[in-house]
């Protein structure tokens, strides 16, 4: 298939007439599972790390509709896909587990004719167009727009399932560094050949960017992932049926076909807190912020969990406080050992930071 043919095919798909899609009962938002820091999934194609993720986080074919045939109903004997999404507090990464059964896997050619998992992520859920074809000012040269806007505010990944004799995905834009370490990683397991049926397991993570520059990561801004935040995302599964046909089903999570270039058509995904079973019922924890270095003024914030009846702070300079969230002015510069003791019906707990609090 020539590059020109592929481009024309994609243009034709973008121009598909609007028609009522199969009714899908979508939730207000999809949940992104928070992995505990000691159970981050290893990217090795082994799904066992994901056993801790409840079934309520899985997104299956019941959430997808076929843009090429709105009346089409998923047939699990032909195509059955289940996807889970996760995150880890402190890492700006989205983790994915893609498990799929197909009766016919198509991946022999080195071009875009390949079974594909197309993923689109908008890290700040700002919406808007992000591919050159949809540039607001059509008087701007398309290739100038490609380098200026494509993949900048939201990112599109065409992930080959599986990738044989080719890179694992096409990052659709000039930011090819997006699909390389440390911004992405992947692993895939399968035991079928071209044209055969079987199960594929794909594990990967990507790093979403509020602004991904064509000039490289140094001029780009990572999306900050925080508990409770809502990001925009959607995906489509392109199901080919043999090397002699260019037709493929386009199973879309979004109700808008052009979600691949218009982030306004993406769906809300919420970064969830840790599941209760991973949280200690009673534990001391705290953080701090130097409010004014010239005055050596430090604000302490209690982050303890559980039912607490008393707090006792030792600031490391022979002074203490019984407040929950005290502010303290240090008389002398130095590195301080600060200790918080809490008491409650469950007992006592202590948390110390050694030399983290430093003033000059």
């Amino acid at each position: 298939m020539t590059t020109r043919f592929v481009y024309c095919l994609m243009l034709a798909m973008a121009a598909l007439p609007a028609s009522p899609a199969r009714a899908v009962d979508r939730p207000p938002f999809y949940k992104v599972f928070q992995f505990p820091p000691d159970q981050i999934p290893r990217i090795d194609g082994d799904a066992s790390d994901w056993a801790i993720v409840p079934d309520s986080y899985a997104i299956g074919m019941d959430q997808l509709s076929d843009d090429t045939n709105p009346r089409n109903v998923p047939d699990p004997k032909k195509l059955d896909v289940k996807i889970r999404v996760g995150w880890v507090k402190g890492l700006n990464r989205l983790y994915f587990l893609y498990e799929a059964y197909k009766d016919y896997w198509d991946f022999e050619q080195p071009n875009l004719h390949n079974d594909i998992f197309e993923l689109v992520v908008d890290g700040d859920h700002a919406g808007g167009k992000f591919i050159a074809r949809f540039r607001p000012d059509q008087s701007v040269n398309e290739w100038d727009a490609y380098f200026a806007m494509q993949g900048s505010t939201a990112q599109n990944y065409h992930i080959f399932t599986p990738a044989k004799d080719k890179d694992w995905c096409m990052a659709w834009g000039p930011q090819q560094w997006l699909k390389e370490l440390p911004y992405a990683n992947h692993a895939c397991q399968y035991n079928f050949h071209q044209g055969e049926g079987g199960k594929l397991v794909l594990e990967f993570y990507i790093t979403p960017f509020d602004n991904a520059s064509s000039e490289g990561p140094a001029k780009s801004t990572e999306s900050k992932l925080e508990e409770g935040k809502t990001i925009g995302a959607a995906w489509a599964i392109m199901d080919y049926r043999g090397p002699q046909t260019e037709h493929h089903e386009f199973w879309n999570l979004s109700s808008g076909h052009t979600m691949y270039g218009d982030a306004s058509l993406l769906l809300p995904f919420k970064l969830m807190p840790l599941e209760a079973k991973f949280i200690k019922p009673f534990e001391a924890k705290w953080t701090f912020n130097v409010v004014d270095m010239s005055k050596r003024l430090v604000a302490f914030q209690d982050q303890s969990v559980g039912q607490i009846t008393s707090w006792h702070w030792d600031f490391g300079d022979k002074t203490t406080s019984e407040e929950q969230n005290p502010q303290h002015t240090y008389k002398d510069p130095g590195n301080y050992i600060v200790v918080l003791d809490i008491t409650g019906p469950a007992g006592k707990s202590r948390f110390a930071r050694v030399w983290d609090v430093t003033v000059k």
Side-chain angles (χ1 to χ4, degrees):
M1 187 195 314
T2 65
T3 301
R4 180 177 177 80
F5 183 87
V6 171
Y7 182 69
C8 291
L9 176 65
M10 296 175 79
L11 284 175
M13 289 198 65
L16 283 174
S19 55
R22 181 178 65 92
V24 175
D25 184 18
R26 296 186 174 93
F29 58 85
Y30 292 99
K31 298 191 297 182
V32 182
F33 177 80
Q34 184 178 156
F35 282 95
D38 61 346
Q39 298 187 60
I40 300 174
R42 181 175 178 177
I43 305 301
D44 56 4
D46 182 351
S48 61
D49 290 345
W50 292 75
I52 64 173
V53 182
D55 288 341
S56 61
Y57 286 82
I59 303 172
M61 293 296 297
D62 63 305
Q63 296 294 297
L64 309 182
S65 56
D66 179 9
D67 281 354
T68 65
N69 181 3
R71 293 179 296 276
N72 199 6
V73 176
D75 181 355
K77 295 181 180 179
K78 178 181 175 183
L79 173 66
D80 192 16
V81 176
K82 183 180 291 185
I83 299 166
R84 290 176 170 87
V85 189
W87 75 292
V88 180
K89 185 179 291 187
L91 296 178
N92 296 327
R93 295 176 178 176
L94 292 173
Y95 291 81
F96 291 83
L97 175 66
Y98 179 89
E99 298 177 288
Y101 169 81
K102 283 187 80 231
D103 64 338
Y104 186 103
W105 288 95
D106 195 341
F107 57 96
E108 189 173 43
Q109 300 185 39
N111 52 25
L112 276 176
H113 185 113
N114 200 119
D115 290 328
I116 288 174
F117 173 50
E118 182 176 6
L119 170 67
V120 183
V121 175
D122 177 9
D124 57 8
H125 203 21
K129 310 293 196 299
F130 62 93
I131 67 171
R133 184 187 313 155
F134 299 150
R135 61 196 183 279
D137 185 354
Q138 291 290 313
S139 67
V140 175
N141 177 275
E142 183 172 355
W143 290 107
D144 288 339
Y146 178 86
F147 285 94
M149 67 171 286
Q150 183 122 348
S152 58
T153 57
Q155 292 80 51
N156 179 308
Y157 301 81
H158 282 56
I159 302 169
F160 302 113
T161 55
K164 181 179 181 293
D165 303 326
K166 65 176 75 172
D167 203 354
W168 75 284
C169 79
M170 176 190 74
W172 197 15
Q175 312 88 342
Q176 297 308 306
W177 48 270
L178 280 170
K179 60 182 177 179
E180 307 292 346
L181 284 169
Y183 306 107
N185 196 12
H186 72 284
C188 187
Q189 287 190 10
Y190 65 96
N191 59 4
F192 47 78
H193 299 285
Q194 163 69 25
E196 295 181 346
K199 182 178 180 179
L200 176 144
V201 176
L202 169 68
E203 256 189 310
F204 67 95
Y205 73 75
I206 57 99
T207 305
F209 279 77
D210 290 348
N211 174 48
S213 172
S214 61
E215 298 183 50
K219 295 191 176 181
S220 303
T221 304
E222 286 187 19
S223 302
K224 189 172 183 181
L225 301 185
E226 299 176 311
E227 192 171 292
K229 180 179 181 178
T230 298
I231 64 174
W235 52 69
I237 299 165
M238 300 184 192
D239 180 13
Y240 281 90
R241 291 278 146 180
Q244 303 307 316
T245 175
E246 298 306 329
H247 171 74
H248 61 269
E249 295 176 348
F250 192 86
W251 292 96
N252 197 345
L253 182 64
S254 170
S255 60
H257 176 75
T258 56
M259 61 87 194
Y260 58 78
D262 184 352
S264 302
L265 299 174
L266 302 181
L267 300 173
F269 279 69
K270 188 173 181 179
L271 304 180
M272 302 301 291
L274 282 173
E275 294 282 307
K277 63 183 178 181
F278 300 117
I279 302 174
K280 293 181 179 180
F282 187 73
E283 182 181 27
K285 199 169 185 181
W286 57 272
T287 188
F288 72 98
N289 176 50
V290 178
V291 178
D292 190 331
M293 184 62 79
S294 65
K295 296 180 180 179
R296 305 190 188 102
L297 177 62
V298 181
F300 295 90
Q301 297 90 42
D302 173 46
Q303 296 180 324
S304 305
V305 295
Q307 185 178 348
I308 304 167
T309 56
S310 66
W311 295 261
H312 178 80
W313 295 85
D314 183 337
F315 298 122
D317 62 351
K318 299 182 180 181
T319 63
T320 61
S321 173
E322 308 302 316
E323 296 180 30
Q324 181 180 2
N325 298 296
Q327 288 194 356
H328 180 65
T329 300
Y330 284 92
K331 181 179 179 181
D332 300 311
N335 306 107
Y336 292 94
I337 300 172
V338 179
V339 183
L340 171 63
D341 287 285
I342 60 172
T343 304
K348 298 180 179 181
S349 181
R350 169 177 287 184
F351 184 70
R353 291 182 180 272
V354 180
W355 290 5
D356 287 16
V357 179
T358 301
V359 292
K360 62 180 180 178

